[in-house]
C-alpha cells in the first residue's frame, strides 16, 4: 500500500469494519486482516490513515470503531451494493451470486449520477431484494486477468490507431496525462505479456493478442455507455466516464447479459 489509501480500498475497509462490528462486540486489526486476507502491516497502515481521516476511532487496547462519518460512508456503499444487485438481476439475467460479485467490483467506481439513476430504476420498476441475501465482500479481477491500467493502455493505443497511422509512447502520455517514465514501464510489461511490439520507428504495434484484447475492451465501453444511457438516462459525458470505470471490473457473464438486453430492446451500439 502506498502512502495513501485508494478510494476503493478505503471503502472496503470501512465496509469490513461495519460488518465485523455487527457480528462481534470488538474489532481489531487482526480481524480485518483475516476477513480481507491481508497482512497485519498493511492493515495497520490503513487503520492509521483511516483514523487520521476521522473515519474510525482506535482505543488504547486496539479496538476499532467507525465514527459517524465512517459509518455513513460504509452504509452508503452497502446501499449502492444492494441497488446494483437488484439492477443487475433485473437487466442482465445473471445469478444472485454473480450479481453479488459484480456489485462488489462495481460499487466503488460508479458515479453519484448513475447511483441515482439506478435508485430511480428500482423505484420505477418496484424491484425487491433477492431471496438469497447478499453480504459485504470484495471481489477483484483475478491474477490471470489484465490489470485495469494495462487495459487502459491497450484501449488507448487501439483508439489512437483509428485516427493515425503511428502511435508512440508520447502520444499515450499526452492523452492520458502521464509521465513518459510511467508509460515506458507499462509498455515494457505489455511487451513481456505478449500484447505489444515496438516497430523500427518506435511505433507501438498491438500483437494479435493485444488487438483482440483491445477490441474487447472498446466493445465493452461502447455497450456499457449505451446501456447506461438507455436504461438510466445518464448524460453522454457521465456515461462515458462511468463506462471507462466499469469496463475493467464487470464480469463476462454480466456483460453478455447487457449485450443481450440491448439487443432485445433494439438499441444499436457504435
Amino acid at each position: 500500500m502506498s502512502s495513501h489509501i485508494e478510494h476503493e480500498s478505503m471503502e472496503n475497509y470501512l465496509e469490513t469494519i461495519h460488518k465485523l462490528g455487527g457480528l462481534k462486540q470488538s474489532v481489531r486489526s487482526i480481524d480485518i486482516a483475516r476477513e480481507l486476507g491481508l497482512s497485519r502491516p498493511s492493515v495497520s497502515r490503513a487503520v492509521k490513515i483511516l483514523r487520521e481521516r476521522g473515519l474510525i476511532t482506535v482505543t488504547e487496547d486496539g479496538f476499532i470503531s467507525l465514527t459517524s462519518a465512517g459509518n455513513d460512508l460504509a452504509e452508503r456503499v452497502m446501499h449502492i451494493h444492494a441497488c446494483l444487485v437488484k439492477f443487475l438481476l433485473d437487466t442482465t439475467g445473471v445469478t444472485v451470486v454473480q450479481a453479488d460479485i459484480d456489485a462488489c467490483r462495481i460499487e466503488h467506481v460508479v458515479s453519484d449520477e448513475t447511483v441515482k439513476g439506478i435508485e430511480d430504476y428500482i423505484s420505477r420498476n418496484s424491484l425487491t431484494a433477492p431471496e438469497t441475501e447478499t453480504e459485504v465482500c470484495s471481489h477483484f479481477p483475478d491474477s490471470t486477468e489484465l490489470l485495469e491500467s494495462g487495459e487502459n493502455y491497450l484501449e488507448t493505443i487501439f483508439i489512437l490507431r483509428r485516427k493515425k497511422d503511428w502511435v508512440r509512447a508520447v502520444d499515450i502520455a499526452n492523452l492520458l496525462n502521464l509521465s513518459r517514465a510511467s508509460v515506458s514501464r507499462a509498455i515494457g510489461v505489455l511487451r513481456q505479456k505478449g500484447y505489444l511490439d515496438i516497430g523500427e520507428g518506435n511505433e507501438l504495434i498491438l500483437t494479435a493478442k493485444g488487438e483482440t484484447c483491445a477490441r474487447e475492451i472498446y466493445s465493452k465501453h461502447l455497450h456499457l455507455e449505451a446501456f447506461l444511457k438507455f436504461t438510466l438516462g445518464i448524460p453522454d459525458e457521465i456515461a462515458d466516464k462511468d463506462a471507462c470505470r466499469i469496463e475493467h471490473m464487470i464480469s463476462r457473464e454480466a456483460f453478455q447479459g447487457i449485450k443481450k438486453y440491448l439487443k432485445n430492446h433494439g438499441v444499436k451500439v457504435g
Side-chain angles (χ1 to χ4, degrees), residues 14 47 52 74 78 84 91 114 123 143 157 172 187 189 200 204 247 252 262 266:
L14 296 177
V47 165
E52 291 172 348
M78 292 166 68
L84 280 166
T91 56
T114 291
S123 176
S143 58
I157 295 169
I172 300 176
I187 288 172
V189 172
E200 295 181 358
L204 304 179
E247 67 192 27
R252 183 174 297 275
L262 291 173

Side-chain angles (χ1 to χ4, degrees), residues 155-211:
E155 185 180 16
T156 300
I157 295 169
F158 178 79
I159 292 172
L160 287 172
R161 281 295 305 273
R162 291 163 62 93
K163 301 176 182 178
K164 56 191 300 185
D165 293 332
W166 288 54
V167 178
R168 292 181 173 144
V170 66
D171 300 313
I172 300 176
N174 291 337
L175 185 62
L176 298 180
N177 194 27
L178 296 171
S179 69
R180 289 287 298 275
S182 296
V183 173
S184 294
R185 286 193 295 270
I187 288 172
V189 172
L190 291 172
R191 287 185 69 191
Q192 290 177 358
K193 292 180 177 292
Y195 290 98
L196 190 65
D197 283 328
I198 297 181
E200 295 181 358
N202 289 325
E203 72 274 19
L204 304 179
I205 304 170
L206 293 174
T207 63
K209 179 181 177 181
E211 180 84 13

Side-chain angles (χ1 to χ4, degrees), residues 81-217:
H81 179 97
C83 288
L84 280 166
V85 169
K86 294 176 188 177
F87 179 62
L88 291 170
L89 286 173
D90 190 68
T91 56
T92 69
V94 295
T95 64
V96 174
V97 172
Q98 189 60 57
D100 185 49
I101 292 172
D102 276 282
C104 283
R105 291 170 65 158
I106 296 169
E107 63 194 20
H108 308 286
V109 301
V110 290
S111 66
D112 290 340
E113 291 83 358
T114 291
V115 172
K116 179 62 167 58
I118 292 174
E119 291 171 339
D120 291 343
Y121 181 96
I122 290 170
S123 176
R124 191 166 60 248
N125 292 280
S126 302
L127 302 185
T128 57
E131 293 183 6
T132 302
E133 185 177 354
T134 61
E135 61 180 46
V136 176
C137 54
S138 296
H139 291 284
F140 303 100
D142 62 42
S143 58
T144 62
E145 296 180 65
L146 192 63
L147 295 177
E148 177 179 347
S149 59
E151 292 185 345
N152 273 330
Y153 280 108
L154 295 179
E155 185 180 16
T156 300
I157 295 169
F158 178 79
I159 292 172
L160 287 172
R161 281 295 305 273
R162 291 163 62 93
K163 301 176 182 178
K164 56 191 300 185
D165 293 332
W166 288 54
V167 178
R168 292 181 173 144
V170 66
D171 300 313
I172 300 176
N174 291 337
L175 185 62
L176 298 180
N177 194 27
L178 296 171
S179 69
R180 289 287 298 275
S182 296
V183 173
S184 294
R185 286 193 295 270
I187 288 172
V189 172
L190 291 172
R191 287 185 69 191
Q192 290 177 358
K193 292 180 177 292
Y195 290 98
L196 190 65
D197 283 328
I198 297 181
E200 295 181 358
N202 289 325
E203 72 274 19
L204 304 179
I205 304 170
L206 293 174
T207 63
K209 179 181 177 181
E211 180 84 13
T212 298
C213 184
R215 285 183 180 277
E216 289 179 354
I217 298 164

Side-chain angles (χ1 to χ4, degrees), residues 117 124 227-236:
R124 191 166 60 248
F227 180 67
L228 293 173
K229 290 192 287 187
F230 179 75
T231 58
L232 307 178
I234 304 300
D236 290 356

